[in-house]
Amino acid sequence: MSELKGMCPIIATPFTKTGLVDYDSFENLIRVLIEGGCQAVTLFGIAGEYYKLTDDEMKRMARITVETCHKYGGTSIISVTQHATQVAVERAKFYEDIGADNLMLLPPFFLKPGQAALYRHMKAVGQAVNIPVMAQYAPEQTGVAIPAQVYADLFRECPNIKYYKIECKPAGAYISSLLNLTDNQVGVFIGNAAYQFIEGFDRGGIGAMPGCSMFDLYLKMYNEYIAGDRAGAAWTHTNLILPILNHIRQNVEMIIAFEKRILRKRGIIACDFCREPGFVSDEYYDKLFEEHYAAIEPYFTWRG
């Protein structure tokens, strides 16, 4: 199995106007991301609204993700989000059994378990499977802080937990610390909409996991950076995407709502419905969004 790297966006969850999961749009979105050049696709990231889905919906979506990746030659990453260790282990095994290429692991955060409990949870999940695992560090969203040393210790005990998605604020020093503590043996991915894309890669990151609606712009940034054009085109496209991110990324539910709006406007999904509770826009938010969208739309390379 090839090493993970590059742009591995979070798959959005499309719903119909009545709030049902739109599996046709979901499969089409995965196809577009794969055929559009993404190195992998990631299911059940925070921006994928996993917390608004039933178990049956999650299992069906996982199967569709694996099947669609196999059909179009893509690579799958599926996140284990369950809070109980026993349940998380069972879910990790299920994802491995249905053919997931990689797992992501969101440490439990409800009621703020201590570091020892978090460590046991992550270790149990990592040791339960044979496929590569990526540990997610998202203290802003979860309220749980985990020192880089904890992840370094985890990697030494569980070598298949070899990737780490870092989205603390600021993330730069944490990335450097984790890489130093592991002798650069782990792969670091930049989260938080890849807002710190250039810095994250400068510090040793190998990939990013932003939302999926502007995947082709992110791919331009990545391809230009690895081609050595950091100071030119990579900066140009980074600065192009930052204004709209600055507007839509004021909280998680807001970026979820506008990411879906972009996907609908681009003809990739049929509807931008979000299950409640969620972000409620107003006339000015919408006006500013349309201005920012008009500025970036000409730079999209995928056309439906």
PDB file of all heavy atoms in Angstrom, residues 184-206:
ATOM      1  N   ASN A 184      11.116  12.458  12.760  1.00  0.00           N
ATOM      2  CA  ASN A 184      10.513  12.630  11.424  1.00  0.00           C
ATOM      3  C   ASN A 184       9.997  11.321  10.832  1.00  0.00           C
ATOM      4  O   ASN A 184       9.932  11.173   9.602  1.00  0.00           O
ATOM      5  CB  ASN A 184      11.512  13.276  10.457  1.00  0.00           C
ATOM      6  CG  ASN A 184      11.878  14.686  10.852  1.00  0.00           C
ATOM      7  OD1 ASN A 184      11.007  15.539  11.018  1.00  0.00           O
ATOM      8  ND2 ASN A 184      13.161  14.941  11.031  1.00  0.00           N
ATOM      9  N   GLN A 185       9.593  10.407  11.692  1.00  0.00           N
ATOM     10  CA  GLN A 185       9.106   9.113  11.198  1.00  0.00           C
ATOM     11  C   GLN A 185       7.600   9.082  10.977  1.00  0.00           C
ATOM     12  O   GLN A 185       7.088   8.113  10.408  1.00  0.00           O
ATOM     13  CB  GLN A 185       9.504   8.010  12.182  1.00  0.00           C
ATOM     14  CG  GLN A 185      11.005   7.783  12.296  1.00  0.00           C
ATOM     15  CD  GLN A 185      11.309   6.622  13.231  1.00  0.00           C
ATOM     16  OE1 GLN A 185      10.954   5.467  12.966  1.00  0.00           O
ATOM     17  NE2 GLN A 185      11.946   6.930  14.341  1.00  0.00           N
ATOM     18  N   VAL A 186       6.878  10.090  11.443  1.00  0.00           N
ATOM     19  CA  VAL A 186       5.434  10.118  11.247  1.00  0.00           C
ATOM     20  C   VAL A 186       5.083  11.083  10.118  1.00  0.00           C
ATOM     21  O   VAL A 186       5.870  11.968   9.774  1.00  0.00           O
ATOM     22  CB  VAL A 186       4.689  10.517  12.544  1.00  0.00           C
ATOM     23  CG1 VAL A 186       4.999   9.548  13.657  1.00  0.00           C
ATOM     24  CG2 VAL A 186       5.018  11.955  12.950  1.00  0.00           C
ATOM     25  N   GLY A 187       3.899  10.893   9.560  1.00  0.00           N
ATOM     26  CA  GLY A 187       3.417  11.786   8.520  1.00  0.00           C
ATOM     27  C   GLY A 187       2.410  12.769   9.108  1.00  0.00           C
ATOM     28  O   GLY A 187       1.432  12.357   9.724  1.00  0.00           O
ATOM     29  N   VAL A 188       2.659  14.053   8.929  1.00  0.00           N
ATOM     30  CA  VAL A 188       1.785  15.085   9.486  1.00  0.00           C
ATOM     31  C   VAL A 188       0.904  15.684   8.389  1.00  0.00           C
ATOM     32  O   VAL A 188       1.400  16.077   7.322  1.00  0.00           O
ATOM     33  CB  VAL A 188       2.608  16.194  10.171  1.00  0.00           C
ATOM     34  CG1 VAL A 188       1.717  17.388  10.519  1.00  0.00           C
ATOM     35  CG2 VAL A 188       3.278  15.647  11.425  1.00  0.00           C
ATOM     36  N   PHE A 189      -0.392  15.766   8.687  1.00  0.00           N
ATOM     37  CA  PHE A 189      -1.360  16.387   7.791  1.00  0.00           C
ATOM     38  C   PHE A 189      -1.902  17.655   8.440  1.00  0.00           C
ATOM     39  O   PHE A 189      -2.139  17.698   9.645  1.00  0.00           O
ATOM     40  CB  PHE A 189      -2.509  15.426   7.485  1.00  0.00           C
ATOM     41  CG  PHE A 189      -2.143  14.372   6.477  1.00  0.00           C
ATOM     42  CD1 PHE A 189      -1.287  13.335   6.814  1.00  0.00           C
ATOM     43  CD2 PHE A 189      -2.642  14.431   5.182  1.00  0.00           C
ATOM     44  CE1 PHE A 189      -0.926  12.376   5.887  1.00  0.00           C
ATOM     45  CE2 PHE A 189      -2.286  13.481   4.252  1.00  0.00           C
ATOM     46  CZ  PHE A 189      -1.422  12.440   4.598  1.00  0.00           C
ATOM     47  N   ILE A 190      -2.112  18.675   7.636  1.00  0.00           N
ATOM     48  CA  ILE A 190      -2.597  19.960   8.120  1.00  0.00           C
ATOM     49  C   ILE A 190      -4.124  19.966   8.075  1.00  0.00           C
ATOM     50  O   ILE A 190      -4.723  19.611   7.059  1.00  0.00           O
ATOM     51  CB  ILE A 190      -2.030  21.123   7.272  1.00  0.00           C
ATOM     52  CG1 ILE A 190      -0.509  21.182   7.410  1.00  0.00           C
ATOM     53  CG2 ILE A 190      -2.633  22.444   7.690  1.00  0.00           C
ATOM     54  CD1 ILE A 190       0.250  20.583   6.288  1.00  0.00           C
ATOM     55  N   GLY A 191      -4.743  20.331   9.196  1.00  0.00           N
ATOM     56  CA  GLY A 191      -6.196  20.433   9.259  1.00  0.00           C
ATOM     57  C   GLY A 191      -6.652  21.878   9.219  1.00  0.00           C
ATOM     58  O   GLY A 191      -5.998  22.738   8.612  1.00  0.00           O
ATOM     59  N   ASN A 192      -7.794  22.168   9.859  1.00  0.00           N
ATOM     60  CA  ASN A 192      -8.321  23.537   9.926  1.00  0.00           C
ATOM     61  C   ASN A 192      -8.412  24.192   8.561  1.00  0.00           C
ATOM     62  O   ASN A 192      -7.928  25.304   8.343  1.00  0.00           O
ATOM     63  CB  ASN A 192      -7.463  24.408  10.857  1.00  0.00           C
ATOM     64  CG  ASN A 192      -7.989  24.400  12.274  1.00  0.00           C
ATOM     65  OD1 ASN A 192      -9.191  24.242  12.508  1.00  0.00           O
ATOM     66  ND2 ASN A 192      -7.093  24.557  13.243  1.00  0.00           N
ATOM     67  N   ALA A 193      -9.022  23.468   7.599  1.00  0.00           N
ATOM     68  CA  ALA A 193      -9.223  23.986   6.245  1.00  0.00           C
ATOM     69  C   ALA A 193      -7.902  24.303   5.555  1.00  0.00           C
ATOM     70  O   ALA A 193      -7.861  25.071   4.593  1.00  0.00           O
ATOM     71  CB  ALA A 193     -10.127  25.210   6.249  1.00  0.00           C
ATOM     72  N   ALA A 194      -6.798  23.715   6.043  1.00  0.00           N
ATOM     73  CA  ALA A 194      -5.450  23.976   5.508  1.00  0.00           C
ATOM     74  C   ALA A 194      -5.153  25.465   5.491  1.00  0.00           C
ATOM     75  O   ALA A 194      -4.470  25.971   4.601  1.00  0.00           O
ATOM     76  CB  ALA A 194      -5.283  23.367   4.116  1.00  0.00           C
ATOM     77  N   TYR A 195      -5.639  26.148   6.498  1.00  0.00           N
ATOM     78  CA  TYR A 195      -5.459  27.603   6.600  1.00  0.00           C
ATOM     79  C   TYR A 195      -3.975  27.954   6.666  1.00  0.00           C
ATOM     80  O   TYR A 195      -3.545  28.972   6.131  1.00  0.00           O
ATOM     81  CB  TYR A 195      -6.177  28.080   7.862  1.00  0.00           C
ATOM     82  CG  TYR A 195      -6.770  29.455   7.780  1.00  0.00           C
ATOM     83  CD1 TYR A 195      -7.885  29.702   6.976  1.00  0.00           C
ATOM     84  CD2 TYR A 195      -6.243  30.514   8.512  1.00  0.00           C
ATOM     85  CE1 TYR A 195      -8.438  30.962   6.907  1.00  0.00           C
ATOM     86  CE2 TYR A 195      -6.802  31.779   8.451  1.00  0.00           C
ATOM     87  CZ  TYR A 195      -7.906  32.003   7.647  1.00  0.00           C
ATOM     88  OH  TYR A 195      -8.457  33.255   7.573  1.00  0.00           O
ATOM     89  N   GLN A 196      -3.192  27.111   7.335  1.00  0.00           N
ATOM     90  CA  GLN A 196      -1.748  27.331   7.440  1.00  0.00           C
ATOM     91  C   GLN A 196      -1.001  26.397   6.485  1.00  0.00           C
ATOM     92  O   GLN A 196      -0.012  25.764   6.836  1.00  0.00           O
ATOM     93  CB  GLN A 196      -1.270  27.108   8.881  1.00  0.00           C
ATOM     94  CG  GLN A 196      -1.707  28.184   9.862  1.00  0.00           C
ATOM     95  CD  GLN A 196      -3.135  28.004  10.323  1.00  0.00           C
ATOM     96  OE1 GLN A 196      -3.638  26.887  10.361  1.00  0.00           O
ATOM     97  NE2 GLN A 196      -3.795  29.094  10.660  1.00  0.00           N
ATOM     98  N   PHE A 197      -1.475  26.323   5.259  1.00  0.00           N
ATOM     99  CA  PHE A 197      -0.942  25.385   4.281  1.00  0.00           C
ATOM    100  C   PHE A 197       0.564  25.549   4.087  1.00  0.00           C
ATOM    101  O   PHE A 197       1.328  24.587   4.232  1.00  0.00           O
ATOM    102  CB  PHE A 197      -1.668  25.576   2.940  1.00  0.00           C
ATOM    103  CG  PHE A 197      -1.131  24.734   1.823  1.00  0.00           C
ATOM    104  CD1 PHE A 197      -1.620  23.467   1.601  1.00  0.00           C
ATOM    105  CD2 PHE A 197      -0.127  25.201   0.992  1.00  0.00           C
ATOM    106  CE1 PHE A 197      -1.125  22.672   0.571  1.00  0.00           C
ATOM    107  CE2 PHE A 197       0.381  24.424  -0.044  1.00  0.00           C
ATOM    108  CZ  PHE A 197      -0.115  23.158  -0.251  1.00  0.00           C
ATOM    109  N   ILE A 198       1.009  26.739   3.738  1.00  0.00           N
ATOM    110  CA  ILE A 198       2.421  26.960   3.442  1.00  0.00           C
ATOM    111  C   ILE A 198       3.290  26.658   4.654  1.00  0.00           C
ATOM    112  O   ILE A 198       4.282  25.924   4.580  1.00  0.00           O
ATOM    113  CB  ILE A 198       2.663  28.402   2.957  1.00  0.00           C
ATOM    114  CG1 ILE A 198       1.932  28.651   1.629  1.00  0.00           C
ATOM    115  CG2 ILE A 198       4.160  28.682   2.822  1.00  0.00           C
ATOM    116  CD1 ILE A 198       2.524  27.958   0.443  1.00  0.00           C
ATOM    117  N   GLU A 199       2.913  27.211   5.818  1.00  0.00           N
ATOM    118  CA  GLU A 199       3.717  26.964   7.023  1.00  0.00           C
ATOM    119  C   GLU A 199       3.745  25.491   7.369  1.00  0.00           C
ATOM    120  O   GLU A 199       4.792  24.937   7.731  1.00  0.00           O
ATOM    121  CB  GLU A 199       3.184  27.762   8.216  1.00  0.00           C
ATOM    122  CG  GLU A 199       4.005  27.524   9.477  1.00  0.00           C
ATOM    123  CD  GLU A 199       3.403  28.132  10.735  1.00  0.00           C
ATOM    124  OE1 GLU A 199       2.352  28.787  10.646  1.00  0.00           O
ATOM    125  OE2 GLU A 199       4.004  27.931  11.807  1.00  0.00           O
ATOM    126  N   GLY A 200       2.586  24.830   7.281  1.00  0.00           N
ATOM    127  CA  GLY A 200       2.527  23.419   7.632  1.00  0.00           C
ATOM    128  C   GLY A 200       3.460  22.573   6.788  1.00  0.00           C
ATOM    129  O   GLY A 200       4.141  21.679   7.293  1.00  0.00           O
ATOM    130  N   PHE A 201       3.515  22.849   5.497  1.00  0.00           N
ATOM    131  CA  PHE A 201       4.415  22.100   4.621  1.00  0.00           C
ATOM    132  C   PHE A 201       5.867  22.513   4.844  1.00  0.00           C
ATOM    133  O   PHE A 201       6.768  21.667   4.794  1.00  0.00           O
ATOM    134  CB  PHE A 201       4.003  22.271   3.158  1.00  0.00           C
ATOM    135  CG  PHE A 201       2.918  21.325   2.734  1.00  0.00           C
ATOM    136  CD1 PHE A 201       1.587  21.617   2.953  1.00  0.00           C
ATOM    137  CD2 PHE A 201       3.241  20.116   2.141  1.00  0.00           C
ATOM    138  CE1 PHE A 201       0.583  20.740   2.577  1.00  0.00           C
ATOM    139  CE2 PHE A 201       2.249  19.221   1.757  1.00  0.00           C
ATOM    140  CZ  PHE A 201       0.912  19.524   1.980  1.00  0.00           C
ATOM    141  N   ASP A 202       6.100  23.790   5.088  1.00  0.00           N
ATOM    142  CA  ASP A 202       7.461  24.229   5.385  1.00  0.00           C
ATOM    143  C   ASP A 202       8.017  23.502   6.604  1.00  0.00           C
ATOM    144  O   ASP A 202       9.219  23.201   6.683  1.00  0.00           O
ATOM    145  CB  ASP A 202       7.491  25.735   5.654  1.00  0.00           C
ATOM    146  CG  ASP A 202       7.422  26.569   4.380  1.00  0.00           C
ATOM    147  OD1 ASP A 202       7.503  25.996   3.273  1.00  0.00           O
ATOM    148  OD2 ASP A 202       7.282  27.808   4.499  1.00  0.00           O
ATOM    149  N   ARG A 203       7.155  23.226   7.574  1.00  0.00           N
ATOM    150  CA  ARG A 203       7.603  22.582   8.820  1.00  0.00           C
ATOM    151  C   ARG A 203       7.689  21.058   8.696  1.00  0.00           C
ATOM    152  O   ARG A 203       8.066  20.388   9.653  1.00  0.00           O
ATOM    153  CB  ARG A 203       6.669  22.955   9.960  1.00  0.00           C
ATOM    154  CG  ARG A 203       6.823  24.393  10.448  1.00  0.00           C
ATOM    155  CD  ARG A 203       5.862  24.666  11.594  1.00  0.00           C
ATOM    156  NE  ARG A 203       5.958  26.013  12.144  1.00  0.00           N
ATOM    157  CZ  ARG A 203       6.700  26.359  13.180  1.00  0.00           C
ATOM    158  NH1 ARG A 203       7.448  25.449  13.793  1.00  0.00           N
ATOM    159  NH2 ARG A 203       6.712  27.600  13.629  1.00  0.00           N
ATOM    160  N   GLY A 204       7.323  20.516   7.557  1.00  0.00           N
ATOM    161  CA  GLY A 204       7.487  19.084   7.349  1.00  0.00           C
ATOM    162  C   GLY A 204       6.212  18.316   7.083  1.00  0.00           C
ATOM    163  O   GLY A 204       6.249  17.075   7.007  1.00  0.00           O
ATOM    164  N   GLY A 205       5.073  19.003   6.961  1.00  0.00           N
ATOM    165  CA  GLY A 205       3.835  18.314   6.647  1.00  0.00           C
ATOM    166  C   GLY A 205       3.902  17.650   5.284  1.00  0.00           C
ATOM    167  O   GLY A 205       4.622  18.106   4.385  1.00  0.00           O
ATOM    168  N   ILE A 206       3.139  16.567   5.121  1.00  0.00           N
ATOM    169  CA  ILE A 206       3.140  15.849   3.843  1.00  0.00           C
ATOM    170  C   ILE A 206       1.777  15.880   3.164  1.00  0.00           C
ATOM    171  O   ILE A 206       1.632  15.375   2.050  1.00  0.00           O
ATOM    172  CB  ILE A 206       3.582  14.389   4.022  1.00  0.00           C
ATOM    173  CG1 ILE A 206       2.627  13.630   4.952  1.00  0.00           C
ATOM    174  CG2 ILE A 206       5.012  14.316   4.530  1.00  0.00           C
ATOM    175  CD1 ILE A 206       2.870  12.130   4.985  1.00  0.00           C
TER     176      ILE A 206
END
